[in-house]
Amino acid sequence: MEMHSKASSTPDVQKRSAITSGRLDIDQEFLKESGGILNGLILASAQYLYKVIERNISKDKIQRLDAEKSKRLNRLIIHKDAHLDEYFAELLFRAILPPHLKDLEIKEHTLISKTNDIFAKISWHNAVVFGIGSEDAGGANALRVFDEHGSDGSRVKPSCSQLVADEFLGTVPRSIQLVLNEVNRSDSGTGAHRYNLKNLIPFLHSALFTVGYDEYRQNEISKYLTENWKRALIDACIAAMVFAYETGIFSESGLANHKKLEIENATKKSLDYFVDHSLLTKSDTYQNVKKSLLFEFRVGNHRGIDGAVWRDQHGQETGKQILTLSRICYALEKSWGPKISSFVMMHLWQSIFHGQILFDVISNEIKGLPRDQMVKTSFGSIRRIQIDNPKFKPERKTGDRKTQVFQANSPLWLFEVNLTVPDYFNTATAVKALINDDYSQKGNNGFGLIYLHDKTINARSLHTGPTIPVDAWKVISDSIVAKEPDRWFQLIGGDGSYSAFVINRNKAHQEYLPSAEVDIEFIRHLVE
């Protein structure tokens, strides 16, 4: 399957194929022999990373998968709605495989049982698994498992990608290491820019892509991207960024102003192309989003590049983020060429537009919600519960650069959200934004909780606002897990920090039974 638009969905690549550490050129014959544009990008990306590894590391230092296991290997498995680190991990792994295995089939797995996951036991025996521990699937045996989390949710490595690099490469080429550093940082911490590839991937998972119109009623035809489709796009982006550092297009020392202008021009050109060829319905919301994005990605607005930085716990800048949309756009064009770059960027732009349109729709619906009253919405329903005089007060996080003045007796907002339409994948994000707004903007300065019941998969989760005190959040989270230890899960960092959510189950983890006792009243009582 390939997305269609007013432009051709398969780039007319004219140049002859040549893949070396300094070239990433593929032609129509390569795409034809590979099985199409998607498989061609997957295969070429793995081949390119191998060329980089081969150039920088002697072949005898590259570790290989056991020969017997290689003979049995016929698929790779990642969890449903996989993260950037799983995609990079399996790309690195394929890079060191023999040529005939570099485009191995990929499957997304949903865990269905912690004691006896039948599907895992059937499909894992001839697969390598990324991001899922064998103990999570009732002891299913895979050829090899790469999972950076312990059984208790703690982290043993910064990312799944780092596990693969450590086992097979040892010494990592600098161009790959720079990308790996970013993947590690984004997977094991917070603070990734909104247009960092880490935060674009969830849109690729959940957005319904407009691929055409039916010929009778001219209704939109929409599809979710398949496993291979998503992998092809992400592989192309990762390979492009490795290429940009390997060939000196990007420098570790930073970007000069003339380079920033080149990046901004390439990004603006790509956005203009999307606007001219997109099949998205041109609603008023679409027009508002288009206007906003054209302004945000205007040439000369260096904030989009300069503002994407990593910060430590004290709010001090520790480095620039590199896997951002504008840098990726520029790297795609310089590596793969303008036609494949347009093909990949059309997908990224549509996912961004789709997500922002939904965000605006949700935001408009939840403004001015009455107190303690369930309101029907396009995504399901929502209720804002206000808890006056809670036992803890809002607290500014260490390193938070936002200036905040809290009310002396600030109430806590507790939102009950029922999601019944799967397309509204960023509902929690929109509700968080409302909570995070200043009092003057009808928000609550981040002092709130979101209890989300996704009825499309019967999953529940609780999300904390940024000014809920750390100690209070730990008590709330621990109390939920203690109430139903076999049904709720909290991810804990290597430093003991808790993630900003505690989950009952999600698309990847259906092995937990639906929550029976942790409902909105339990949360309300717990907070009070």
Side-chain angles (χ1 to χ4, degrees):
M1 284 190 293
E2 293 168 7
M3 185 180 71
H4 298 282
S5 71
K6 298 176 188 174
S8 172
S9 61
T10 303
D12 182 20
V13 183
Q14 299 296 337
K15 55 195 175 187
R16 298 182 63 184
S17 292
I19 300 177
T20 68
S21 62
R23 290 186 65 184
L24 188 44
D25 299 336
I26 58 176
D27 60 10
Q28 289 288 0
E29 191 62 28
F30 180 94
L31 297 180
K32 182 179 179 181
E33 291 180 358
S34 302
I37 179 67
L38 299 179
N39 225 50
L41 290 175
I42 290 165
L43 180 59
S45 296
Q47 288 181 348
Y48 177 71
L49 259 67
Y50 178 72
K51 292 296 184 181
V52 172
I53 293 168
E54 184 182 47
R55 176 178 179 269
N56 291 274
I57 304 175
S58 60
K59 289 185 178 180
D60 60 331
K61 291 186 177 179
I62 301 173
Q63 302 300 311
R64 309 285 182 173
L65 185 67
D66 176 79
E68 186 59 36
K69 290 182 178 179
S70 291
K71 290 179 183 178
R72 294 169 53 197
L73 177 62
N74 65 14
R75 71 171 57 91
L76 303 174
I77 291 176
I78 55 178
H79 62 73
K80 185 73 174 175
D81 288 1
H83 307 119
L84 174 59
D85 71 311
E86 280 97 31
Y87 282 107
F88 190 31
E90 71 91 24
L91 175 56
L92 279 175
F93 178 76
R94 279 187 290 115
I96 57 92
L97 290 177
H100 69 284
L101 295 176
K102 289 191 189 297
D103 60 347
L104 270 176
E105 173 191 44
I106 192 169
K107 287 295 182 183
E108 293 183 0
H109 184 85
T110 297
L111 291 167
I112 57 175
S113 172
K114 288 183 73 70
T115 57
N116 189 28
D117 195 316
I118 299 298
F119 181 72
K121 290 183 176 180
I122 292 172
S123 60
W124 284 23
H125 72 280
N126 54 4
V128 171
V129 180
F130 302 87
I132 313 172
S134 61
E135 67 277 2
D136 291 329
N141 294 315
L143 295 176
R144 188 70 175 83
V145 172
F146 295 98
D147 181 35
E148 74 276 25
H149 295 109
S151 58
D152 61 352
S154 61
R155 187 179 292 269
V156 297
K157 285 284 184 178
S159 74
C160 183
S161 305
Q162 188 65 58
L163 285 172
V164 174
D166 288 347
E167 178 154 335
F168 295 104
L169 301 184
T171 301
V172 181
R174 188 59 184 167
S175 56
I176 294 177
Q177 184 66 59
L178 290 169
V179 175
L180 179 58
N181 290 344
E182 178 117 335
V183 171
N184 287 343
R185 179 67 187 267
S186 65
D187 191 65
S188 60
T190 59
H193 191 268
R194 62 182 296 197
Y195 295 123
N196 190 292
L197 184 58
K198 171 192 176 177
N199 291 327
L200 298 180
I201 288 175
F203 287 9
L204 295 178
H205 287 313
S206 302
L208 272 171
F209 279 73
T210 302
V211 296
Y213 290 88
D214 73 68
E215 56 185 295
Y216 300 107
R217 298 184 180 180
Q218 289 300 299
N219 293 326
E220 283 187 9
I221 299 175
S222 299
K223 295 181 181 292
Y224 292 110
L225 301 186
T226 63
E227 293 113 316
N228 224 38
W229 200 339
K230 291 180 286 188
R231 178 170 67 162
L233 300 173
I234 296 165
D235 279 4
C237 292
I238 293 172
M241 290 302 297
V242 172
F243 179 93
Y245 282 104
E246 181 70 18
T247 59
I249 292 170
F250 290 155
S251 168
E252 287 187 63
S253 60
L255 299 173
N257 281 338
H258 72 86
K259 181 68 74 173
K260 293 176 185 177
L261 288 172
E262 288 180 22
I263 292 172
E264 289 157 6
N265 271 297
T267 308
K268 176 63 164 53
K269 178 182 175 183
S270 173
L271 178 53
D272 287 340
Y273 184 86
F274 173 81
V275 169
D276 290 341
H277 295 86
S278 169
L279 293 177
L280 287 174
T281 302
K282 306 304 187 290
S283 63
D284 289 343
T285 308
Y286 167 88
Q287 297 298 344
N288 291 335
V289 170
K290 181 183 78 171
K291 182 179 178 181
S292 174
L293 288 173
L294 285 170
F295 180 77
E296 186 170 2
F297 288 100
R298 68 191 184 278
V299 176
N301 179 27
H302 293 347
R303 286 193 306 170
I305 296 174
D306 296 338
V309 300
W310 294 112
R311 297 186 184 278
D312 62 20
Q313 59 182 349
H314 303 294
Q316 298 301 308
E317 181 179 329
T318 58
K320 300 292 185 183
Q321 296 186 28
I322 63 173
L323 295 181
T324 51
L325 181 69
S326 56
R327 292 187 191 228
I328 288 172
C329 179
Y330 185 75
L332 283 167
E333 184 170 326
K334 292 297 182 181
S335 56
W336 297 100
K339 292 181 179 178
I340 287 180
S341 174
S342 292
F343 174 78
V344 175
M345 288 303 298
M346 284 289 286
H347 289 79
L348 296 182
W349 285 122
Q350 181 163 168
S351 68
I352 290 169
F353 265 76
H354 187 73
Q356 190 60 52
I357 288 169
L358 288 178
F359 181 91
D360 289 356
V361 169
I362 297 166
S363 297
N364 288 331
E365 286 191 277
I366 63 177
K367 285 180 179 177
L369 287 173
R371 178 173 176 172
D372 209 18
Q373 180 179 327
M374 189 65 75
V375 177
K376 289 186 177 180
T377 64
S378 56
F379 57 82
S381 60
I382 186 169
R383 175 167 61 134
R384 181 178 68 86
I385 299 169
Q386 182 166 306
I387 299 176
D388 295 316
N389 301 313
K391 299 302 181 184
F392 50 90
K393 303 298 181 185
E395 189 176 277
R396 185 172 178 268
K397 295 286 193 302
T398 302
D400 192 344
R401 301 168 67 243
K402 182 179 178 181
T403 302
Q404 294 163 313
V405 178
F406 299 116
Q407 294 176 354
N409 296 306
S410 178
L412 183 142
W413 287 359
L414 172 60
F415 283 91
E416 179 183 9
V417 180
N418 296 302
L419 183 64
T420 58
V421 183
D423 191 31
Y424 286 81
F425 60 90
N426 55 349
T427 298
T429 304
V431 179
K432 286 177 187 176
L434 173 62
I435 293 173
N436 292 346
D437 279 343
D438 190 79
Y439 301 127
S440 62
Q441 299 174 295
K442 311 289 187 183
N444 203 41
N445 260 4
F447 195 48
L449 297 165
I450 303 168
Y451 180 78
L452 176 66
H453 185 187
D454 185 347
K455 294 189 174 183
T456 66
I457 56 173
N458 197 12
R460 301 168 196 260
S461 57
L462 185 71
H463 306 256
T464 178
T467 59
I468 297 288
V470 172
D471 290 342
W473 172 240
K474 287 183 176 181
V475 170
I476 293 170
S477 180
D478 288 345
S479 299
I480 291 172
V481 174
K483 183 68 174 178
E484 293 183 317
D486 58 337
R487 303 187 186 214
W488 286 82
F489 189 76
Q490 169 61 261
L491 287 173
I492 302 174
D495 60 354
S497 61
Y498 282 35
S499 66
F501 55 87
V502 57
I503 63 171
N504 158 228
R505 60 215 301 256
N506 56 24
K507 290 180 181 178
H509 291 274
Q510 294 284 298
E511 74 272 28
Y512 295 98
L513 290 171
S515 178
E517 298 183 76
V518 179
D519 57 13
I520 190 66
E521 292 306 318
F522 177 86
I523 302 298
R524 186 210 289 255
H525 177 74
L526 189 60
V527 172
E528 290 177 338

